[in-house]
Each structure stands twice: as C-alpha cells, then as structure tokens.
Amino acid sequence: MISRRRRYEILSERSIETLIYLCGISAIIFVFGICFFVFREGLPLVFKEDTNFSLGKFFFSTEWFPTSMANKRYGALALIVGTLTVTILAMVIAVPFALGATVFLSEFCGGKFRETLKIVIELLAAIPSIVWGFIGLTVINPLIIQVFHVPVGLNALNGAVILALMAMPIMVSIGEDALKAVPDSYREAALALGATRWQMVFRVLLPAAKNGLLAAVLLGVGRAVGETMGVLMATGHAVNIPFFRDDGSFNWGWMFESVRTLTATIAAELGETSQGSDHYRVLFLIGVLLLSITFVINLTADLVVKGIRKQK
Amino acid sequence: MHDSPPKIKVEQFSSWYGDKPVHKEISFHVRANEVLGIIGPAQSGKTTLLRAINRTLELTAGARSTGTIQVDGEDVRWVANVYELRRKIGMVAPLPVGLPLTIYDNVAFAPRCAGLSRKSDLDALVEKCLRQAALWDEVKDRLDSLGTKLSGGQQQRLTIARALSHQPEILCLDEFSIAIDPVTTMRIEEVLKELRKDITIILVTNLTQQARRLADRTMFLWNGEIIQLDRSEVIFSENPGNQKTYDYVHGIFG
Ligand SMILES: Nc1ncnc2c1ncn2[C@@H]1O[C@H](COP(=O)(O)OP(=O)(O)O)[C@@H](O)[C@H]1O
Ligand SMILES: [Mg+2]
C-alpha cells in the first residue's frame, strides 16, 4: 500500500519531471521552428520555374541587382566574399589580441587589477552593436583614413576592426576559462623544471588548453559571421569583390575597399520586399546560408570542446 | 664526507600561508650525497618545505617565509637566476604530473627550456634519463605517445626521468609511492639506490619503512617542527631517545 503522502510526492516529482522535459523539448522545437520557417520562405525559389534565379548564379555570380526593372539578377558571390573578407580580417586582428589578453589575464596579473580588467571586458561585450557601428563611423573610420592615407569612404578594414572588438570579449572570457581549466600542478611542474613563465605558457599551457582556445576562436568567428548592425553601418555597403581592380589585376588595397556582407543585405533589403516575391525569397535563402555557416561553426566548436578531435 | 660543507643549509626557517603558520623556526642541513628521509603525519609541512627549497612556494599567493635556506652556500632567496636554482633541484610530486606532452617531450622539456636543441643530444639525454628511471625498455617503442597514457607507476617513473633530465645535483621526492603499487615502489627504490651515488636526495615519505631502507639520516617533522633528526638506525631503533618518534615510527601515534 502506498500512503497518501507518498503518492503526493510521486505525483509532484512526476509533474516537475514533465515540466523540465517540456522546457527541454521546447528549446528543440524553437530551433526547428526557426529553421523550418526560414527554409519554407527561402526554398520555393530554388524549385520555381520562370525566374531569373538559379542556384549556380546565386553562388557564382557577383551580379546582385534584385530590384532591377528590366533584368533582375541574384548573384550572392560578392556578398559571400564580403562576409568572408570582413570575418577573416576581423579574426586576423582579434585572435592575437585576444590570445595576448587571455594569457595576460590568467597568468600575468592578479588580484584587484585582474578583477577590474575582467569587468571592463565584460562591459565591452555588453555594448550594443549599433553603438559599435556608430563608433566605427565616427572614430575608427576617420582614424583609418588618416593613418593609411586612403580615400574618404567606409571600408572593409573599418568593419573588421569593429567585428574584432565585438568578438574579442567572448573569445577572452572563454579562452580564460580554458586556461583556468589547466591544473596548477602543470604550471608548478613546468616552473620547477626551470622553465620561465613564457616557456611555461607557450610549451605547456597553450598546448594543454588548445581545444578550449580553438573553441573560443570559433565562437568568436560565429559572432562575427552573424553580426549585422555594426558591419551594415561600417563597411560601406557596396556590392563589391575587393580583391580585383576593374582591369582584373590584384588590388593590394583590398582592405580599404567598401564591401557588403550577407547579414547587412538582409537587414537593409527585407523591409522593401513584398512577401513571397523572388527578392523576398532570395533574402531568406541568404538566411539559410547563414544558418548553415553558423551551424557548422558551432558544431565544430562543440566537437572541439568535447575533445572528439582525435589526439595522437 | 662528514666534513664537506652542507649541500643545503636551513636556518631559523619559518613559513606561513596567509596568517596560518606552517614551519616554526626550523634549522637543519643536508649533506652532499646523503639521502635525507623526512617522515611525519599529513599537514606537517613536508611538501611546503620542499617547495621552499626550489622556490616554488612563492607561486602560491599569500605564502611567506623568514629565515634562510642555502643551497651550495647561496641563499635561495637572493640567487641571481632562479631558473638555474630550480634546474639544480629535481622535484617529484606525490601524484605524477604528466605534462600534456609526449613521453619524449616530457623528458626533453627542461633541457629544451635551458636551450638544448640538437636532436642527437636530446635523443641521447632522453634515453639516458629514461634508463636511469628504469622506464626505457617499456616505452622505447612509443616515445611519441602521450605521457598521460602510461600506467600510474610508469608515469611516476616518467616524472623521475623528467626530474633527472636537467641533471640536478639534488633530487627531492615527495611521497612518490603514495599512488603506486608495492612492486613499482620497490623498483623505484632500486633506482634511487643507484642515484644516491651521484646526487643528494631528500626523500619525503609516507612509508616510514622506506626511510629506514633508504635514508642515511631521517628527520621527523611534526606540526612544522623538527621533533628529531638523527641517523636512520637511531630513529628506527627500539630506543630513539624521543618518545614521540618512537610512537610515530611504531604506529602508536595519537
Ligand atoms: N596552497 C596552500 N594554501 C594554503 N595552505 C596550504 C597550502 N598548501 C598547504 N597548506 C597548509 O600548510 C600546511 C602544511 O601542508 P603541507 O606542506 O602540504 O604538509 P604535508 O606535505 O606534510 O602533508 C597544512 O596545514 C596545509 O593545510
Ligand atoms: Mg605533502
């Protein structure tokens, strides 16, 4: 015989379990819901007949004229290249700084100073991207023009600097966790063997924390790829592959060219389209592309964190 | 041998973690080429003493000390080059700390940090140290696999090989047998018997009988104070001359 009280306990335990289960399920439902929605709005274009759109042109043509009256064209190559350019440039700037800051924070400073620095870095992470865009317009862009003596105008470097600043806090805080996870006994063992602090950092800490650090970088990349407002305001918004001049020669000043990213295109154009139009659908296809990119990046980061990457 | 200047000389040494005192003005010395055993219950300050000698104690925030520790007549606090001091001392921790490197790189770590880079020199040194630690035959075919994949006893011998890799004059072992089986323990004891011919050994041990087997002299450290320091025959005799020592050695310490 189960007593009344015991029955009540079982019942409440069951209902709490169910509740938690529903919460977990709902997260999955939301993710799938979003994917479903984006795919549903975008995919019909791929199978539509009598349209100027084709997947080949989408990926390999640079001609993006979705609003042309006579001849609409939907080539997203320049946008893809724009996103890649700005993201990679941002990482080239951000990774060394973030790594330096991470090592400094966790190994070379202590006490109050370190706590203060961490708070400042977290504040940096809390700045809305529109404010970053604003800073890019009014501070960084004039600075770039002055320092590099380039023509007035917004450019890829400007956007990359902003993305770097935005991605750095997340990389530093996750990177610091990765270094903190390395046991102190490693540090002491290395130093007891006569290593200097730098030798200890480069030969023991970084190899030991490499998975966590890689994950930090990947999450930074994910942050940069998905960022919209900041780059929309800062990169100049010209559909342009920056690496070639009109005559086809390599453009060494590519980072001072104006570019446009995938995200910025959606943000700028979706409001003007009519629902269900080809233009509307192609923007959702760009959304599908972005989703896939960030999905792959996050999945890789996840696998890296779990250390599934085979060690030798 | 008894007339040679002490290898390590500790005078009026006191230490604290924050406000918590550990050692209380202890003084003793270690002779060149002797094995000094240190026994005593947990929390007596044995590990802290070793960390003070190679100056890794200062890595712990809040740790302080007074008094002097001299190695070869030089106060460790004022040595010009702390890295050189640390290379003079090999350190083996209670639980093997396999750096996340290959077996080869574990042993080559200290020489590389000291600037040795010729492959042939490193190869020779790695082999020599692994042989000294009685590990060579077991790992010579897999020097490129991770050190952490070895068994506990093998890892501990790896850390001994590593501690020998910078050719130290002093070897400090901190309860090295705490996590390994008796057979491996006996193997390492054989290794130490070989090593004692060339270097000075400080053997902190949780097995009092180990000090009896290996140590020339044994120190009984309790609660940060030296209760007794004498030749091992005396410490482990039926009449060491100190009731606390007798009780501890005979397992009736309360
Ligand atoms: N990192 C540390 N921080 C604070 N206290 C410590 C630390 N390490 C050891 N202690 C304290 O110092 C005392 C001596 O410890 P230890 O030297 O490890 O003793 P033993 O090696 O003899 O067991 C103990 O009371 C211990 O709690
Ligand atoms: Mg100890």
Side-chain angles (χ1 to χ4, degrees):
Chain A
M1 271 289 284
I2 302 172
S3 76
R4 210 173 179 172
R5 189 184 157 136
R6 181 91 187 94
R7 197 176 295 161
Y8 172 74
E9 273 173 6
I10 291 175
L11 208 68
S12 70
E13 199 166 298
R14 284 253 173 84
S15 51
I16 287 173
E17 259 174 32
T18 317
L19 200 68
I20 290 172
Y21 180 74
L22 284 180
C23 290
I25 289 285
S26 71
I28 297 173
I29 289 175
F30 282 135
V31 170
F32 274 101
I34 289 168
C35 284
F36 174 75
F37 177 72
V38 174
F39 275 87
R40 192 195 62 185
E41 297 300 302
L43 280 191
L45 190 59
V46 177
F47 306 108
K48 191 176 165 190
E49 287 169 13
D50 77 24
T51 165
N52 291 339
F53 176 88
S54 84
L55 264 187
K57 281 195 195 136
F58 180 72
F59 282 113
F60 297 111
S61 159
T62 60
E63 301 200 334
W64 179 260
F65 296 110
T67 50
S68 157
M69 281 303 173
N71 182 13
K72 297 189 187 347
R73 276 152 292 171
Y74 305 103
L77 181 63
L79 310 178
I80 296 171
V81 171
T83 286
L84 288 182
T85 309
V86 179
T87 304
I88 292 172
L89 192 56
M91 286 304 119
V92 169
I93 299 168
V95 168
F97 273 101
L99 196 62
T102 305
V103 169
F104 178 73
L105 256 184
S106 101
E107 305 303 318
F108 290 90
C109 76
K112 280 227 166 86
F113 186 52
R114 179 227 210 100
E115 293 313 309
T116 318
L117 259 180
K118 280 175 82 167
I119 290 171
V120 170
I121 287 173
E122 264 148 41
L123 271 181
L124 220 57
I127 296 178
S129 60
I130 192 104
V131 175
W132 280 118
F134 195 68
I135 293 173
L137 280 182
T138 56
V139 182
I140 298 173
N141 197 51
L143 208 67
I144 289 173
I145 290 169
Q146 249 182 25
V147 172
F148 295 102
H149 302 291
V150 291
V152 175
L154 296 169
N155 55 43
L157 180 60
N158 190 22
V161 170
I162 287 172
L163 281 188
L165 285 167
M166 292 172 82
M168 241 184 289
I170 192 176
M171 293 200 283
V172 172
S173 64
I174 293 179
E176 207 219 343
D177 287 346
L179 287 189
K180 276 277 145 309
V182 178
D184 276 342
S185 60
Y186 287 6
R187 293 180 176 81
E188 186 156 326
L191 293 175
L193 286 164
T196 64
R197 268 178 179 249
W198 285 109
Q199 288 171 330
M200 185 260 292
V201 167
F202 281 111
R203 293 166 192 227
V204 176
L205 280 194
L206 296 187
K210 65 174 188 300
N211 282 7
L213 294 173
L214 202 55
V217 170
L218 285 174
L219 286 172
V221 173
R223 176 90 169 86
V225 169
E227 173 48 36
T228 309
M229 263 351 266
V231 285
L232 174 63
M233 290 169 75
T235 55
H237 215 56
V239 181
N240 177 24
I241 290 197
F243 299 101
F244 302 104
R245 292 214 193 81
D246 291 341
D247 59 9
S249 63
F250 189 77
N251 179 7
W252 294 102
W254 56 270
M255 64 175 80
F256 303 111
E257 295 289 327
S258 174
V259 297
R260 194 206 275 203
T261 63
L262 294 167
T263 49
T265 305
I266 300 180
E269 295 180 6
L270 191 58
E272 306 162 10
T273 62
S274 60
Q275 195 172 358
S277 67
D278 287 0
H279 189 189
Y280 172 89
R281 294 211 184 284
V282 81
L283 290 181
F284 271 91
L285 264 189
I286 292 181
V288 170
L289 185 60
L290 278 169
L291 258 179
S292 322
I293 295 174
T294 42
F295 175 73
V296 168
I297 291 172
N298 282 349
L299 190 70
T300 320
D302 242 28
L303 294 183
V304 166
V305 168
K306 293 205 185 100
I308 288 180
R309 255 169 30 120
K310 232 172 87 182
Q311 304 214 336
K312 73 164 165 178
Chain B
M1 169 176 149
H2 285 222
D3 304 313
S4 55
K7 192 73 185 164
I8 300 173
K9 193 166 168 195
V10 177
E11 275 181 330
Q12 299 287 311
F13 177 79
S14 305
S15 63
W16 296 263
Y17 286 107
D19 297 331
K20 186 175 180 297
V22 183
H23 300 100
K24 297 155 191 119
E25 305 208 324
I26 61 173
S27 303
F28 68 97
H29 61 268
V30 188
R31 297 181 187 126
N33 286 38
E34 81 167 332
V35 178
L36 177 73
I38 301 181
I39 58 173
Q43 316 270 297
S44 309
K46 305 182 296 291
T47 301
T48 306
L49 183 60
L50 297 185
R51 294 179 72 215
I53 294 174
N54 81 340
R55 275 190 55 184
T56 47
L57 180 58
E58 66 199 38
L59 303 174
T60 303
R64 298 180 290 129
S65 63
T66 60
T68 59
I69 297 178
Q70 293 181 344
V71 173
D72 288 330
E74 250 192 309
D75 190 335
V76 295
R77 203 181 311 246
W78 308 116
V79 289
N81 185 339
V82 64
Y83 309 112
E84 216 161 81
L85 169 78
R86 287 178 182 152
R87 278 197 283 271
K88 206 184 251 187
I89 301 165
M91 191 64 78
V92 175
L95 300 175
V97 182
L99 292 175
L101 306 168
T102 65
I103 294 173
Y104 185 97
D105 290 341
N106 259 287
V107 184
F109 180 83
R112 277 180 180 147
C113 286
L116 192 69
S117 59
R118 274 251 310 271
K119 179 91 171 69
S120 57
D121 292 348
L122 283 171
D123 285 351
L125 189 59
V126 168
E127 176 170 350
K128 178 180 154 223
C129 296
L130 286 170
R131 277 188 194 285
Q132 274 183 313
L135 188 60
W136 175 252
D137 291 330
E138 288 159 58
V139 300
K140 63 179 179 229
D141 301 321
R142 47 176 175 148
L143 294 174
D144 285 336
S145 64
L146 278 176
T148 42
K149 296 215 171 123
L150 297 171
S151 74
Q154 288 174 323
Q155 282 193 49
Q156 194 58 296
R157 276 176 286 156
L158 179 61
T159 63
I160 291 178
R162 198 175 64 196
L164 295 172
S165 68
H166 41 99
Q167 287 152 315
E169 297 165 23
I170 301 162
L171 182 63
C172 298
L173 297 120
D174 190 0
E175 309 194 322
F176 74 84
S177 52
I178 206 154
I180 58 184
D181 61 281
V183 177
T184 316
T185 302
M186 294 315 284
R187 284 196 72 174
I188 296 179
E189 286 189 17
E190 293 308 313
V191 170
L192 296 181
K193 281 180 189 156
E194 275 305 304
L195 290 172
R196 67 189 297 176
K197 295 171 189 158
D198 306 313
I199 54 185
T200 308
I201 296 178
I202 301 181
L203 177 71
V204 170
T205 177
N206 53 315
L207 309 168
T208 49
Q209 293 309 311
Q210 193 168 58
R212 178 186 219 158
R213 287 192 291 269
L214 293 170
D216 299 303
R217 294 189 303 150
T218 295
M219 176 164 114
F220 175 34
L221 191 67
W222 179 59
N223 216 354
E225 287 175 281
I226 299 177
I227 303 300
Q228 193 177 5
L229 169 56
D230 213 325
R231 286 182 297 118
S232 298
E233 300 101 88
V234 176
I235 296 283
F236 294 102
S237 69
E238 281 307 306
N239 188 7
N242 183 311
Q243 191 59 37
K244 278 187 187 156
T245 307
Y246 180 88
D247 289 350
Y248 183 70
V249 169
H250 291 85
I252 42 179
F253 195 77

